[in-house]
Amino acid sequence: MPQSRLVLVVEDDSAVAEQTCDVLRRADYMPTLAGSLTEASLLTDMNFGAIFLDLLLPETDHHTLTKSVISMRAHFPNAVLIVLSAYLPELNVIQLLKLGADFCLHKPLTIKNVNSVIMAAHELNNGQVRKIRERLDAAVAYG
């Protein structure tokens, strides 16, 4: 598990944000909501263990996506960065991982996916790559 159970959710759609926060609460995390990258950048004094970043925020498009991922990584260098989208083509996932995202998840979230990804990130920090692949494969296969 991450050092902090505090999780930042950067999501502009209020219904999706509430659903995401609800899943995180049920998984025993403490979500903080930011409706934009600007709001998120004001929270740099908080020790987030993970960040769930919506792929398409109003202030971003495919051209500024790079900036949003790099910005989140710069503001919160120790947090697990998880990009969320309802639609993630394989090419975008590869690009996001190269830019600094730790994982990409499809919306809507499930408790199982949240726990699998955060635990996998923790194991990555401990060098346990095989377990990560097994958990991610299981999470993808069983949703």
Side-chain angles (χ1 to χ4, degrees), residues 9-81:
V9 176
V10 186
E11 171 66 66
D12 64 304
D13 182 309
S14 60
V16 174
E18 187 52 41
Q19 179 190 29
T20 301
C21 289
D22 184 54
V23 168
L24 288 165
R25 280 187 214 98
R26 287 187 285 138
D28 293 324
Y29 292 95
M30 297 174 291
T32 298
L33 179 62
S36 68
L37 289 172
T38 303
E39 284 182 40
S41 68
L42 299 174
L43 301 171
T44 57
D45 60 333
M46 300 183 76
N47 182 29
F48 293 108
I51 299 168
F52 287 79
L53 174 65
D54 182 25
L55 180 63
L56 294 176
L57 294 164
E59 57 199 315
T60 63
D61 56 26
H62 289 289
H63 299 291
T64 58
L65 174 62
T66 300
K67 291 179 184 177
S68 64
V69 172
I70 291 171
S71 172
M72 286 296 98
R73 180 54 68 213
H75 286 303
F76 306 101
N78 298 320
V80 175
L81 180 56

Side-chain angles (χ1 to χ4, degrees), residues 101-117:
D102 294 303
F103 296 97
C104 299
L105 281 179
H106 286 63
K107 295 180 201 176
L109 297 181
T110 65
I111 293 173
K112 182 177 179 177
N113 285 348
V114 167
N115 282 332
S116 293
V117 166

